[in-house]
Amino acid sequence: MGSIPTWARVYVVCVVLAAVACLAPLPAVHAPWWIVALLAALYAGCERIPFPHSPKGAAARVAERGAPRGLGTFLPVLLAGAFLLPPPAAALVALPGALLARVEQRPRWLRRVWRAAQLAVAVWAASRVHWALGGRDAVALPHFPYALVPAGAAVLTFCVVLTALDGGILALAERVPVRGAWRGLFSRSLASVAVHGLAGLMMAVLWRSPYGPVAALLVLLPMYVSCWAFAQYHRERAAHQATIRALVQAVDIKDGYTRGHSERVGQASMMIARELGMDDERVEVLRFAGILHDVGKLGVPTRLLRKDGPLTPEERRIIELHPEYGHEMVRGIGFLGEARSAILHHHERIDGSGYPYGLVGRQIPEFARVVAVADAFDAMTSTRSYRRARPVPVALEELERCAGAQFDPGMVRALVRALNRHGWHPAVTSGVYPPSPEFSTSLEQGGPPSPVSSRTEGNPTNKTGSSASTDGCPTDADGPLTGVGRESVGGEPPSGGIGGRGRS
């Protein structure tokens, strides 16, 4: 939400107005204001309480950046307010903490206002449902099990409102496709909100009991411990991501002509995945697949990756082992999941002429079919030391031409839709010849293919001396979209088609 679209700002204003409407009856509400003040102060404090830091060191600092620094939005306090207070007073509890919360990204003020308004509306709705079902009396009376019914309905309402508002801001501010903006939000949120709701209900029951507020506050201690454990999980995940970055940097150092290629393939893979409507967890794993697809190059001799001239058949066979090398390297990394199959199979072709196993059509894992398209696309639209980037429309024409033979047509169409929506601005992977403005590869600028190295002009054969592919897909002899020498090192169309049996 760095540059906020106008419609997203309008949406935030509408939610703020809804929050103001929820708070409007406050002057006429008879509420125990000391409880309101105590819960509001408690929630604001939870927003600011930091977790203990991990041991110092470079790896620890990397992990800290990816982990929550404190309790964050501590829902038990808000839901306890919904169970104890009238709806307008319950909505007021969320405001101080949300407005004072830590915000890393800009614009900070707008993010704070948005979060405060969103929580106020959600808490108001939850309290309204709870009171409508007689929850206030159920919390205070001895018939405690009955209190679970209105409390459950309130928690469900709270989760529905939060996810509904979150989906709207994702669609408008982050430009997530409408059909995927709400997908999975409710199911992922419900379990954690339900747990926090139970803690909030325990607080409310103890608050109304003879033990009083002090006993109710003790409920927060185990919740703090659980949140700390969750933060530790995030630190571990951040450490995993740091490991992945280290592997990618090692590949970039070894194969300098494709520096940055892996990160861009990961980004393009994410764009395709979101267009296909994958949930966030699979999108993240697919990003890892794109980033690590060439990690097997660490097992290939550097002299082959940097060789200027044609490859011998024996050298090509060695390079074609890199998917299997990569799969062996990441086999034991459990959180990669489906990404491992993409690393192994991203050079398979729909027609069965790919490697390492010659899989056909749907036999090729879905993640591998996505990465294959992203890999070839980035190779064609990236500037290398020996030629400039091709325009995006030209690259997409080549992908569409080879769809059905080399690439999954559904993945190609998804990439086209994603690029029409977001555009594409690849970075220079070798700083020898920076691109000039006329070679911009954004979708708005088409134009003819860029010139290539003189080594490709008039060359009637590919690296191994074979003729052009018979399936119509470009080979190393196909002129402006392929080329020879180092071209296929980064996933550019090698022999037999885009991203086929080359050095990518």
Side-chain angles (χ1 to χ4, degrees):
M1 223 162 47
S3 177
I4 310 296
T6 302
W7 281 111
R9 293 178 182 271
V10 171
Y11 181 76
V12 171
V13 170
C14 291
V15 176
V16 169
L17 292 176
V20 171
C22 294
L23 296 169
L26 270 177
V29 169
H30 298 288
W33 294 107
W34 70 273
I35 296 180
V36 176
L38 181 57
L39 289 177
L42 187 60
Y43 176 65
C46 289
E47 286 279 356
R48 306 293 298 182
I49 293 175
F51 289 128
H53 292 289
S54 300
K56 298 301 179 184
R61 287 194 296 272
V62 170
E64 289 286 347
R65 287 197 294 269
R69 297 183 180 181
L71 292 177
T73 304
F74 204 49
L75 300 184
V77 177
L78 296 182
L79 291 170
F83 301 147
L84 291 170
L85 299 169
L92 183 61
V93 171
L95 294 186
L99 293 174
L100 296 173
R102 294 185 183 89
V103 177
E104 301 295 333
Q105 295 175 291
R106 298 177 184 275
R108 293 187 177 92
W109 67 270
L110 185 60
R111 291 175 182 274
R112 288 192 180 101
V113 169
W114 156 252
R115 190 60 176 163
Q118 180 192 31
L119 288 174
V121 172
V123 173
W124 180 89
S127 180
R128 186 81 176 179
V129 169
H130 186 257
W131 280 53
L133 296 177
R136 181 187 182 190
D137 295 332
V139 168
L141 294 176
H143 307 295
F144 172 67
Y146 173 72
L148 292 174
V149 176
V155 167
L156 189 64
T157 302
F158 182 83
C159 191
V160 167
V161 173
L162 275 186
T163 54
L165 294 176
D166 274 336
I169 203 66
L170 284 174
L172 294 173
E174 306 292 348
R175 296 185 175 89
V176 175
V178 173
R179 62 189 179 91
W182 286 272
R183 181 171 298 173
L185 282 180
F186 180 78
S187 58
R188 287 195 304 272
S189 303
L190 183 58
S192 61
V193 172
V195 171
H196 284 235
L198 285 174
L201 180 61
M202 290 175 62
M203 284 186 65
V205 170
L206 287 172
W207 200 297
R208 295 289 189 186
S209 74
Y211 298 103
V214 175
L217 297 181
L218 293 178
V219 175
L220 299 180
L221 183 58
M223 293 302 298
Y224 176 84
V225 174
S226 68
C227 289
W228 174 82
F230 184 68
Q232 290 296 101
Y233 162 78
H234 273 276
R235 290 190 180 99
E236 182 179 352
R237 188 172 182 84
H240 289 162
Q241 294 176 351
T243 301
I244 289 174
R245 284 195 295 271
L247 288 172
V248 172
Q249 287 171 0
V251 174
D252 286 346
I253 290 171
K254 185 166 186 174
D255 187 8
Y257 285 96
T258 59
R259 184 166 292 116
H261 168 67
S262 297
E263 294 285 350
R264 292 193 303 276
V265 172
Q267 180 64 31
S269 298
M270 285 179 64
M271 293 172 69
I272 296 173
R274 285 182 175 139
E275 204 62 39
L276 293 173
M278 293 185 185
D279 60 54
D280 288 347
E281 185 175 348
R282 294 193 78 208
V283 170
E284 180 71 0
V285 174
L286 188 49
R287 184 176 75 89
F288 290 151
I291 290 173
L292 291 174
H293 75 285
D294 273 344
V295 70
K297 285 182 179 180
L298 294 174
V300 176
T302 305
R303 62 180 177 82
L304 297 185
L305 295 176
R306 298 186 177 182
K307 184 176 180 180
D308 287 332
L311 296 171
T312 67
E314 179 61 28
E315 290 171 337
R316 187 175 293 279
R317 280 193 292 271
I318 293 173
I319 284 182
E320 288 175 358
L321 292 173
H322 82 268
E324 295 174 272
Y325 291 156
H327 184 257
E328 286 298 316
M329 290 177 185
V330 302
R331 172 179 285 179
I333 305 179
F335 72 89
L336 287 179
E338 293 179 83
R340 296 191 291 262
S341 65
I343 293 168
L344 179 61
H345 296 295
H346 70 278
H347 280 299
E348 303 284 2
R349 291 171 50 117
I350 297 296
D351 61 9
S353 62
Y355 64 91
Y357 299 126
L359 302 183
V360 178
R362 295 288 175 174
Q363 293 178 349
I364 305 171
E366 183 181 26
F367 276 26
R369 286 179 272 135
V370 171
V371 172
V373 172
D375 185 20
F377 173 75
D378 179 71
M380 286 190 286
T381 56
S382 299
T383 298
R384 304 291 166 82
S385 62
Y386 45 84
R387 59 105 178 109
R388 298 183 188 277
R390 278 73 174 186
V392 165
V394 174
L396 293 180
E397 286 176 8
E398 287 302 308
L399 292 174
E400 290 171 337
R401 187 162 68 90
C402 293
Q406 184 169 349
F407 303 115
D408 185 328
M411 306 307 176
V412 175
R413 288 193 296 269
L415 178 62
V416 172
R417 291 196 303 268
L419 292 173
N420 284 333
R421 191 189 309 275
H422 301 290
W424 181 253
H425 306 281
V428 177
T429 57
S430 176
V432 180
Y433 297 105
S436 57
E438 61 267 28
F439 288 96
S440 170
T441 56
S442 64
L443 282 178
E444 292 78 10
Q445 298 181 16
S450 307
V452 296
S453 168
S454 59
R455 291 176 292 175
T456 68
E457 296 174 2
N459 191 335
T461 59
N462 61 21
K463 285 181 173 51
T464 57
S466 60
S467 60
S469 171
T470 59
D471 62 7
C473 293
T475 68
D476 286 338
D478 286 332
L481 289 177
T482 54
V484 294
R486 295 175 185 164
E487 189 77 8
S488 63
V489 173
E492 184 91 15
S495 174
I498 305 174
R501 296 179 180 270
R503 291 187 236 180
S504 62

